[in-house]
Amino acid sequence: MSSGSPLPPPDYQGGDYRDDKKRRLPGGHAGESSSCRLLLDGDLEYMLAELTVDEDIIPGGNSGDCRKDRKRKSNQDNASDDLLENMLSSLVIKDNAATSSASRRSGKDASVLVLDDSILDEGNSDCTTSTVCGASDSWSLRSEEFIERVKDLLLSHKGTGVEVFEVHFGLDSAHAAHLDKWVQFASESGAQCVIINLRKKGISSSGDLVVKSRYNFPLHCFVGGQRSSIRKLRLINCIFRPTLHCSGFSSLVRLYLNNVTIADSDVQNICSCCTILRILRLGRCDDLVNLMISHEILIYLDIFRCKKLVSIEIHATSLAFFEYDGHEVHIKYASTPKMRQIVTKFGDVNTSLPKDFNAMEWIKKVTLTFLSPSEEYRYIIYLKKFTALQFVNLFILPSWNNALAVTYLLKATPYLKRLRIEACSKEHHYVDRSHTNWPEGISLDKLRTITIGGFAAQAPLVALLACLMGVATHLKYLQIDPHHHLCKMLGKWVREDVGDKAARDDARNAALATIVPKLPPTVKLVIK
């Protein structure tokens, strides 16, 4: 299999995922809307596959359709990144909409089967136990009641046509015998999506007691004569220890592990066994230390809040999107020639472009943080130009040194089209200066749009904007927003409606007083 041209998963048909959404029966139970999320993720996976394949089939030699191909490639290059971001944003919006809808009970032939605490509140014919749901405050009794109701529900189910199987309840290793049977049911039913969320509501899953009693996900349920149909696996508060030659997950396309006990070697086994894996997310996996990702067709990698992590080394020739959020670690992009977008958030530590950045010929967008309050000179003078970068997102704590760091970064990205700066809401960490020596030789002729969030007329930020007005000769649009924003999935910014309204009004008035006089007449100013 060519690393640059990943094939779709076995038995894949282009319309399957849309048909999944149409086949969702009226009797299906929405649960926590994760089934809706995973079906939408199917569309995401399909689009990612289309993106990668389209890039690779663009011919480089002589062809009668070469002109059309070049035009198509140009349109794709301009739209693919924004299209992906819009789809990921829509996933969050649709998730929230689904969560707010009324929950519905699973029918016997439902393609989506969700087992959560709502079945304790439903006195329906599928649950034959005589115990009153929620009558006791004892968690052990509630767990026993939940297990009994699940047992009755699965016994009444035909066991076929289950495409999405979910468990959302705070169980642990003490309930392994029951959980194993449920996972076995999902496997024998041919479920394509399996979610095991054993986090107890309202209780942190990071304690030692919880870690020691985590449920060990049964690999043997997906090993047998018939190859497993599972394509998406989501585990929360479990143990996952795949072996090197585990064949049960060869059809896996998406894997999401959150608060899961897993070691560095287990991740390497995953990369070896899951040969068509496209999307991998590892969150709060605290046993990871020196993580190495080696995979030929992985497209999206997200790693966040792994407490003991020291280093990440990536060998992924098809990887297009990488995101890291957590404490400072060493990240080595050993082989990532198809990288499109990088998001690195090192807590309160300033970040910079990676040393092996020039090997990423497709890179277009980065999200970096400049959050150190130190007044020491820590910005890097880049000796090379990064001509592929077109979009830069920066989350900064306004200070004179951070403002200077931004200008040196922009000097190294002369083909930048869009710049976003989000000012941190912490106290201002700078001393007033009447003059700053900005670097010379900055050329931003391609820059068309600047967006500023968290604007409070911070002196370094106002001075930085004045500097940019002088070098961005073809700037068309400047947006200033006093609201603060959070950086979400793939660098998307989501507004926070927090803070003092009067302070935001003052910031708007300050923008009119400090920015408008410096603004060229050709630039459109929008103040949110």
Side-chain angles (χ1 to χ4, degrees), residues 188-310:
E188 294 176 352
S189 301
Q192 295 186 22
C193 305
V194 176
I195 301 176
I196 307 296
N197 180 359
L198 303 185
R199 178 180 297 157
K200 188 181 297 186
K201 289 185 177 180
I203 297 180
S204 173
S205 59
S206 60
D208 293 337
L209 180 61
V210 176
V211 172
K212 292 177 181 178
S213 62
R214 280 178 178 167
Y215 167 65
N216 196 342
F217 187 79
L219 304 177
H220 64 270
C221 292
F222 295 90
V223 178
Q226 184 178 2
R227 185 178 60 83
S228 172
S229 61
I230 185 171
R231 296 168 61 95
K232 305 163 193 172
L233 177 61
R234 178 185 178 97
L235 300 179
I236 301 177
N237 213 23
C238 298
I239 298 174
F240 190 56
R241 289 288 170 80
T243 60
L244 180 59
H245 302 290
C246 183
S247 61
F249 302 98
S250 59
S251 59
L252 202 62
V253 176
R254 174 188 172 97
L255 178 62
Y256 176 30
L257 305 178
N258 191 357
N259 281 108
V260 170
T261 301
I262 186 172
D264 298 336
S265 57
D266 297 324
V267 175
Q268 295 181 29
N269 291 343
I270 290 172
C271 293
S272 299
C273 300
C274 306
T275 56
I276 63 171
L277 191 66
R278 302 290 180 84
I279 300 174
L280 175 61
R281 302 190 69 206
L282 303 172
R284 299 178 177 88
C285 299
D286 294 336
D287 291 332
L288 297 178
V289 179
N290 295 302
L291 184 60
M292 186 173 73
I293 304 293
S294 180
H295 202 284
E296 288 188 354
I297 68 170
L298 187 68
I299 297 177
Y300 175 73
L301 175 62
D302 182 16
I303 302 171
F304 58 96
R305 309 296 174 84
C306 299
K307 292 182 179 179
K308 298 179 182 178
L309 196 61
V310 174

Side-chain angles (χ1 to χ4, degrees), residues 101-113:
S101 64
S103 297
R104 293 167 292 187
R105 183 175 59 84
S106 297
K108 293 182 180 181
D109 298 316
S111 62
V112 177
L113 184 57

